[in-house]
Amino acid sequence: MRIGDLILRDRVHRSVYTDPAIFKIEMEKIFSRAWIYLGHESQIKQTCGYFTTHLGDASVIVVRQAQGDIRVLYNRCAHKGMQLVADDSQGAAKAFRCGYHGWIFDLDGSVKTMPAEAGYDGTAVCKSNPLNSLKPVAGVAVYRGFIFATAATDAPYFHTWLGPLKSSLDNFVDRAPDGEVEVAGGVLRYEHQCNWKFFLENTLDALHPMVVHKSAIRPAEILNAKRQEAGAEIPFELQMILPFGASYAFFDDMGQRGAPFGHGDLGDQMSIHSGYDGQPDYWEAMVKAYGAERAKQILSISRNNSVLYPSIMFKAPVSLIRVIKPIAIDRTILETWHFRLKGAPDSLFARTIQYSTIVNSSAGMVGPDDHEAYRRLQAGLGSDGGDWVWLARYLNQETADQEGARTTRGTSDFVYRNQFAAWRGYMEAA
Ligand code: FES
Ligand SMILES: [Fe+2]
């Protein structure tokens, strides 16, 4: 089947989730060509700080130079190719020394030392040959602290790629009274037995919470009724869980947006986070920083989940992001990173951790339901029980917004149709 035959206007073929040959092309054409989220500047605050992560299937080192700028280098020794730095590591270094034959590289990637160098006299193995340096990735963009990279020399200009989602990412940072955010706390890192696309779809799926998460919603509703009756206050834990059980009409009214390159937001108008109790000390800090009108405007944007396709979902109202790292057609690592808003009271960060613990963690009441759904989706689509996955809900009912995105009702399948339009564009590109 040709790529174009897999994506129809109202459905996609199951092989996009199950065929290892498709996955191989995705790594080459999507994860090597799109702008991929690598991490946040605050992970390498110190001079010469570094961390390792992946750009597609390549391990890379993200490293702050002595002058302060950030470089991204392939994590591959120029001698015989050994990975220089361990996966998922971080620290500060004066240089990188290969653990095999001891070549030493400067933080900018240039080779400093080749042990027993004289033996290479008269060959191409010399310090002046760029082949003996660590290779930099083709493009790096840092926007408001978020670090993205691409392996493509012909990638679109970063801001063209970001497009209308700029306002969503800005809102994540603008919520900090000091206008900056920083990674804090640990990372939740789980491997799931499923295709990477399920998470990006699920995170914008407003048609599943009332069904998949019923086992969390129902006890919360019972407890809430008891507390209301007793005139007791409603703790944040309940405020978090209860909106998952909202009606279809509520989720439709939230709205959604789809933008070029497959990006999208759920909760264009409001979200499941809109009804949380305000925090007076945070509000005061915001008013002091921005003035009441601007502070109100910032906090009135409450987009539930925003996706920068294909590698990051961010959740501005509770200051956390999810990062997608595909490993195989049916294996994906999903990470949750938490952010502290500079200038905000500690109680706000406590909410972020509380949200992540209750919703995202393996011990939580919500995330494990989704994980089970992904596993069963992979199992169902791997069978011969049918070839197509429907994306037909509210077909062709979108309207353009002022930022160049298209909006429609929250439970529409438009955001997925939009993701697959981008998927097709990447996969069919020369
Ligand atoms: S492979 Fe790195 S020094 Fe030989
Ligand atoms: Fe869910």
Side-chain angles (χ1 to χ4, degrees):
M1 235 179 195
R2 291 178 314 115
I3 292 290
D5 295 335
L6 304 176
I7 313 295
L8 307 187
R9 60 194 282 273
D10 62 353
R11 71 195 82 177
V12 293
H13 192 270
R14 70 182 174 104
S15 60
V16 303
Y17 303 101
T18 59
D19 183 349
I22 293 272
F23 181 79
K24 197 165 176 293
I25 304 171
E26 287 177 334
M27 286 295 105
E28 274 166 30
K29 297 205 165 186
I30 301 179
F31 282 86
S32 298
R33 293 207 172 159
W35 287 96
I36 300 295
Y37 177 71
L38 297 186
H40 192 264
E41 265 193 332
S42 57
Q43 292 169 250
I44 41 174
K45 268 189 256 188
Q46 70 277 49
T47 312
C48 308
Y50 72 88
F51 64 86
T52 54
T53 184
H54 278 77
L55 174 58
D57 48 19
S59 177
V60 294
I61 310 169
V62 182
V63 53
R64 190 181 288 283
Q65 307 294 296
Q67 305 80 358
D69 56 314
I70 290 171
R71 289 206 178 195
V72 181
L73 305 163
Y74 285 96
N75 187 10
R76 180 230 189 256
C77 178
H79 181 214
K80 289 182 190 278
M82 191 162 110
Q83 189 172 316
L84 275 179
V85 187
D87 280 333
D88 299 318
S89 59
Q90 67 177 88
K94 288 190 182 138
F96 298 115
R97 178 173 183 269
C98 181
Y100 202 10
H101 309 100
W103 283 28
I104 297 175
F105 299 90
D106 244 322
L107 300 186
D108 65 2
S110 57
V111 63
K112 267 184 13 171
T113 307
M114 298 164 164
E117 191 178 350
Y120 298 113
D121 282 352
T123 75
V125 182
C126 58
K127 287 179 188 155
S128 58
N129 183 350
L131 274 182
N132 298 312
S133 296
L134 301 181
K135 186 179 166 186
V137 303
V140 180
V142 182
Y143 181 67
R144 302 202 70 177
F146 294 89
I147 307 166
F148 293 82
T150 177
T153 49
D154 59 352
Y157 176 57
F158 175 77
H159 283 276
T160 305
W161 175 85
L162 180 60
L165 269 281
K166 176 181 181 299
S167 64
S168 306
L169 195 49
D170 281 342
N171 185 250
F172 193 103
V173 185
D174 289 344
R175 286 169 168 267
D178 292 354
E180 281 182 19
V181 298
E182 61 182 346
V183 165
V187 54
L188 293 178
R189 181 178 287 125
Y190 301 131
E191 182 181 326
H192 298 297
Q193 307 302 308
C194 73
N195 187 260
W196 60 275
K197 292 185 282 300
F198 293 135
F199 173 75
L200 288 177
E201 293 172 32
N202 172 269
T203 201
L204 300 178
D205 185 321
L207 209 55
H208 84 282
M210 64 293 278
V211 180
V212 168
H213 302 305
K214 191 71 180 173
S215 61
I217 295 161
R218 193 63 198 130
E221 285 172 343
I222 293 168
L223 184 56
N224 185 45
K226 282 186 187 157
R227 290 188 75 90
Q228 298 267 16
E229 213 177 282
E233 73 180 53
I234 307 303
F236 186 58
E237 291 89 333
L238 276 182
Q239 294 180 37
M240 273 188 279
I241 298 290
L242 289 168
F244 283 88
S247 66
Y248 290 99
F250 174 91
F251 283 108
D252 260 345
D253 289 347
M254 277 171 56
Q256 60 167 237
R257 310 199 298 166
F261 297 100
H263 308 328
D265 299 293
L266 176 63
D268 186 34
Q269 303 298 323
M270 57 155 177
S271 76
I272 61 169
H273 309 296
S274 302
Y276 294 167
D277 279 349
Q279 287 172 295
D281 46 353
Y282 172 51
W283 170 247
E284 270 168 36
M286 287 292 282
V287 171
K288 203 169 159 204
Y290 294 105
E293 199 176 321
R294 173 80 180 123
K296 200 171 162 198
Q297 187 192 25
I298 291 167
L299 298 179
S300 69
I301 301 173
S302 183
R303 290 173 180 153
N304 204 80
N305 294 328
S306 302
V307 166
L308 284 172
Y309 192 83
S311 69
I312 174 174
M313 178 278 258
F314 50 97
K315 202 170 191 42
V318 287
S319 309
L320 58 85
I321 65 169
R322 318 287 298 276
V323 181
I324 298 95
K325 296 181 172 175
I327 300 174
I329 186 74
D330 56 358
R331 287 174 61 209
T332 304
I333 288 178
L334 190 54
E335 296 175 346
T336 306
W337 293 82
H338 313 94
F339 287 79
R340 194 186 288 280
L341 305 183
K342 289 193 184 172
D346 286 347
S347 55
L348 212 68
F349 183 63
R351 275 193 176 187
T352 295
I353 295 301
Q354 216 176 354
Y355 188 92
S356 200
T357 305
I358 289 184
V359 175
N360 296 333
S361 82
S362 59
M365 297 171 70
V366 177
D369 299 337
D370 293 310
H371 303 165
E372 177 64 3
Y374 307 153
R375 193 188 66 74
R376 291 199 201 182
L377 282 163
Q378 196 70 39
L381 293 176
S383 78
D384 284 333
D387 277 340
W388 296 97
V389 174
W390 288 112
L391 306 179
R393 188 171 171 82
Y394 295 144
L395 195 62
N396 296 334
Q397 297 187 26
E398 309 85 53
T399 51
D401 79 0
Q402 290 174 338
E403 296 180 338
R406 281 177 292 159
T407 66
T408 187
R409 280 176 278 189
T411 71
S412 174
D413 285 342
F414 167 60
V415 272
Y416 324 128
R417 294 191 292 270
N418 188 57
Q419 288 180 354
F420 277 107
W423 186 90
R424 183 176 174 175
Y426 281 118
M427 295 290 275
E428 290 185 332

